[in-house]
Amino acid sequence: ESGDLSYPEMVNLKWGITKPDAVLEDVEHVLYRTPSYKNSEDNNMFITHRFYVKLKENEDLSVLQKMAEKYNAKIELLNTLITKYPHSDYNDDAMYEIGRTYVLQDKHNDAITAYKNLQKKHPQSKLTRKASLEIGMQYANMNQNTEAIKAYKYVVENYPSSEETRIALDGLQSLYIDANKVDEYLAYRESIVGTTISTVAKSHEDSISFIAAERVYARGNYQEAIPTLTNYIVKYCDSHTFNCITAQYYLAESLYKTGDLDKALTHYN
């Protein structure tokens, strides 16, 4: 019927002003009154999501996000669709969107739970790669760095040739630098070198090692800065590069601040 053909547009227009039950009723009107879709679970889910996918391609997150701040209603509706059509090809899309909705509300733990559910149910989905990366990001946002490192390593080890792995490695590098554990990061990188993950260039090792040492010094943790800077100088300062000259100054200052004036003078010179 012509009325059925206009339902997608009607659902789209009503999304921001109707309750989820009413929207679902609109969707199911199409599902059960359109003969070509009546008996197919995947096609049922497809009708619900085809507008979502279309808008996503146009850089709009989804039809569901037309609900603006109605996050709880969106999650309720998505969970309803997941329950009603558990074997649909679009099931992973819905599960991923639940996680993203929690992220938009800064509900980090809820987002992690949603993403882990997606990992378990759809381990081979492209969206699971993204969700796995976002688990690491959510842990990092909560300063749970040990868990963030585990999550990033999961991405690297399970999806080694993906863009998500490149981002996860950047995240790992940042966390290890902040923790002043660059050697651990470099050792991990060396352990995963293969056809899709390259070795770390010596110049890059120098750079991140200097950044880590500099951050310890900048935090005023002079007792920790002394061995960190000393190790950097021994390992990388065969020549008088800018980083090496700066490291010598930081070491001298750290020694001075901790009362070791004689050693400080040797590095000032």
Side-chain angles (χ1 to χ4, degrees), residues 186 202 205-206 209 231-239 244:
L186 294 174
K202 193 71 175 178
E205 286 186 25
D206 181 329
S209 296
N231 181 61
Y232 173 79
I233 291 167
V234 169
K235 195 170 183 179
Y236 297 106
C237 291
D238 292 332
S239 58
C244 288

Side-chain angles (χ1 to χ4, degrees), residues 194-240:
T195 56
T196 58
I197 299 174
S198 61
T199 57
V200 179
K202 193 71 175 178
S203 59
H204 188 60
E205 286 186 25
D206 181 329
S207 176
I208 63 177
S209 296
F210 175 76
I211 291 170
E214 185 175 48
R215 287 186 184 177
V216 175
Y217 170 79
R219 289 196 291 263
N221 190 348
Y222 302 116
Q223 291 288 359
E224 184 181 350
I226 290 169
T228 301
L229 289 161
T230 300
N231 181 61
Y232 173 79
I233 291 167
V234 169
K235 195 170 183 179
Y236 297 106
C237 291
D238 292 332
S239 58
H240 296 292

Side-chain angles (χ1 to χ4, degrees), residues 135-194:
I135 289 171
M137 292 177 174
Q138 296 310 303
Y139 278 127
N141 286 337
M142 294 188 292
N143 294 317
Q144 294 183 23
N145 293 345
T146 299
E147 293 302 316
I149 287 171
K150 290 178 184 177
Y152 285 142
K153 285 183 177 180
Y154 178 91
V155 175
V156 172
E157 291 158 19
N158 285 276
Y159 313 108
S161 59
S162 67
E163 174 65 10
E164 286 78 14
T165 281
R166 184 189 66 77
I167 298 170
L169 286 171
D170 286 344
L172 282 170
Q173 176 179 294
S174 179
L175 290 171
Y176 276 115
I177 286 174
D178 283 343
N180 192 24
K181 295 181 178 179
V182 171
D183 287 345
E184 285 188 28
Y185 170 71
L186 294 174
Y188 176 70
R189 280 295 300 261
E190 190 64 27
S191 74
I192 59 172
V193 168

Side-chain angles (χ1 to χ4, degrees), residues 7 21 50 91 95 111 173 187 199 205 255 266:
Y7 258 88
D21 288 347
R50 64 176 177 173
N91 192 276
M95 295 182 77
Q173 176 179 294
T199 57
E205 286 186 25
L255 290 164
T266 64

Side-chain angles (χ1 to χ4, degrees), residues 12-79:
N12 197 2
L13 289 171
K14 290 173 67 178
W15 204 269
I17 58 175
T18 340
K19 293 181 179 179
D21 288 347
V23 177
L24 188 59
E25 186 176 314
D26 280 336
V27 171
E28 292 190 338
H29 181 88
V30 182
L31 301 183
Y32 295 109
R33 293 184 60 182
T34 306
S36 60
Y37 294 108
K38 186 173 181 180
N39 297 315
S40 170
E41 182 173 300
D42 279 340
N43 284 334
N44 288 348
M45 196 68 146
F46 171 74
I47 286 182
T48 308
H49 282 81
R50 64 176 177 173
F51 323 113
Y52 153 84
V53 173
K54 178 70 174 175
L55 285 173
K56 199 168 187 180
E57 289 172 352
N58 292 329
E59 298 185 347
D60 191 341
L61 290 179
S62 69
V63 170
L64 300 180
Q65 289 186 338
K66 295 300 182 182
M67 297 177 72
E69 300 300 320
K70 298 179 182 178
Y71 294 122
N72 290 335
K74 172 182 173 181
I75 290 170
E76 180 184 346
L77 179 56
L78 282 166
N79 277 321

Side-chain angles (χ1 to χ4, degrees), residues 2 65 88:
S2 60
Q65 289 186 338
S88 166

